[in-house]
Amino acid sequence: MIRTYKFKLYKSKRLKCLHELVNLSAEIYNHCIALHKRHYKFYGKSLNLYRLQKHITRLKKLPKYAHWNNLGSQAIQSITERIDEGYKKFFRHENKRPPTFKKKRKYKSFTLKGFVGYKLNNNILTINKRNYKLWLSKKIEGKIKTLTVKRDSLGDFWVLATALVGNVKPANRATSGKSVGVDFGLKTFLTLGGRHLTLTGKEREIESPLYFLNSIGEIRKLSRALSKKKKGSNNRRKARFDLARLHRKIAFQRDDFFHKTANMLAFEYEYVFIEDLNLNGMQRLWGRKVSDISYGGFVNILSYKTNVVKIDRFYPSSKECYDCGYVYRELSLKERVWICPNCGNAHKRDNNAADNIHRVGTSTLAGGIVRPTMPANAVDSRIPCL
Ligand SMILES: [Zn+2]
């Protein structure tokens, strides 16, 4: 299993050197994009990764490009690989646009691989013989695979280290064999399901913290202030920082909520069943709020802490009556409570869905085939049953 660690670097004047390295990455990145474009124009086909890398090796020997050597060759290699991947995805129609030029200010990071080009000794990170102190909030376990130095929109620096760790889950994880079904919603972030649960009413629900929506007034105010400032002025820079600071704060709050909620679930349940969410479809249906909530980020955190089992996303969890199996196709999104036309039982929409997810989840876990999964590409644009 791969784990990502994130540490903040202490502020210091020396960070200027890291700024320079990120800017240099942007320069190299843009140079490669230009090469790609030119190659395509002349030959009508994509520039091969190895040819590009060879070309860069030659460039680095020229006096004009000697400063490129400040950035480790690993970092340059990962830039070329990332661009290559971007083009491949574009040609496979997975991305709408090919990689494009990026402004220096908007360029964020460079990545080093393995143990080359840096040293990490406890809380001291050494790059190009300069030491940077980092806020080591956690001990890194396992071997480091990649190390990314990232600057955020406030000019602060972070180190993201990915490490290969054994298949260990945190110590406070449940081993009870207990399981739960989870239905995601908007106002209610999640509803817990499974008829074995002894939770009642509100205990089954975790409300959404719509930080973003609550802060939207403030965001609007700051964006308006930013747009009024003269371009290139110091005041504009300050206004941009104010806005970035607010965005960062909201992101931290959301992360905190995710970790607490995930810990709570992992503490109690060994298996969590969820629907394999089609986020694009959900976003089209629900609008911006879905991306504010970022279910994907939550599921990611949760799967570090406990076993997440995804069930077929086209299983009609909300529309099927838990008691008799009747599928009530006409159920609309507005109906929060419905009565089964077949058996007459009343259902709260989210509770019924979560109960169904739990039942399907347990049979998935037992090895039973619930229903054939359709090939993903054929149904990508469909909206999931909610
Ligand atoms: Zn029924």
Side-chain angles (χ1 to χ4, degrees), residues 321 324 340 343:
C321 169
C324 72
C340 173
C343 70

Side-chain angles (χ1 to χ4, degrees), residues 61-207:
K61 285 175 189 147
L62 303 172
K64 191 183 167 191
Y65 297 102
H67 64 291
W68 283 18
N69 289 301
N70 289 337
L71 193 66
S73 52
Q74 295 279 327
I76 296 180
Q77 197 184 326
S78 71
I79 290 173
T80 54
E81 282 166 1
R82 201 154 46 88
I83 294 173
D84 195 62
E85 193 51 39
Y87 272 104
K88 277 188 183 140
K89 279 194 172 158
F90 172 65
F91 287 122
R92 285 199 302 256
H93 303 288
E94 287 167 32
N95 283 353
K96 279 193 191 131
R97 269 178 281 273
T100 49
F101 293 114
K102 276 187 189 150
K103 277 187 183 153
K104 245 178 213 175
R105 178 163 67 74
K106 294 203 169 159
Y107 206 85
K108 300 286 180 215
S109 62
F110 61 90
T111 299
L112 299 159
K113 283 188 250 170
F115 297 101
V116 190
Y118 73 95
K119 246 188 238 155
L120 187 61
N121 200 349
N122 269 326
N123 66 337
I124 304 293
L125 173 72
T126 313
I127 295 176
N128 288 355
K129 292 181 187 149
R130 284 197 175 82
N131 292 338
Y132 306 94
K133 205 167 158 194
L134 48 91
W135 188 275
L136 200 67
S137 47
K138 215 178 256 172
K139 206 173 161 264
I140 299 179
E141 285 165 46
K143 254 189 178 169
I144 294 181
K145 279 181 74 85
T146 65
L147 186 114
T148 301
V149 176
K150 189 173 180 181
R151 77 169 163 214
D152 65 16
S153 38
L154 290 171
D156 288 332
F157 274 91
W158 302 78
V159 166
L160 290 114
T162 58
L164 200 61
V165 292
N167 245 341
V168 279
K169 301 257 174 179
N172 62 355
R173 145 199 184 196
T175 47
S176 53
K178 256 173 101 176
S179 60
V180 72
V182 164
D183 179 53
F184 290 102
L186 266 192
K187 210 174 136 291
T188 307
F189 178 64
L190 53 84
T191 305
L192 303 176
R195 290 284 169 100
H196 63 300
L197 297 178
T198 48
L199 308 172
T200 51
K202 277 281 158 203
E203 288 172 352
R204 291 179 56 158
E205 296 170 3
I206 294 169
E207 292 297 310

Side-chain angles (χ1 to χ4, degrees), residues 32 35-36 47-56 80:
C32 292
L35 286 173
H36 264 279
L47 174 57
N48 178 289
L49 174 65
Y50 300 102
R51 279 191 65 183
L52 176 63
Q53 285 173 349
K54 250 185 174 169
H55 178 73
I56 288 176
T80 54

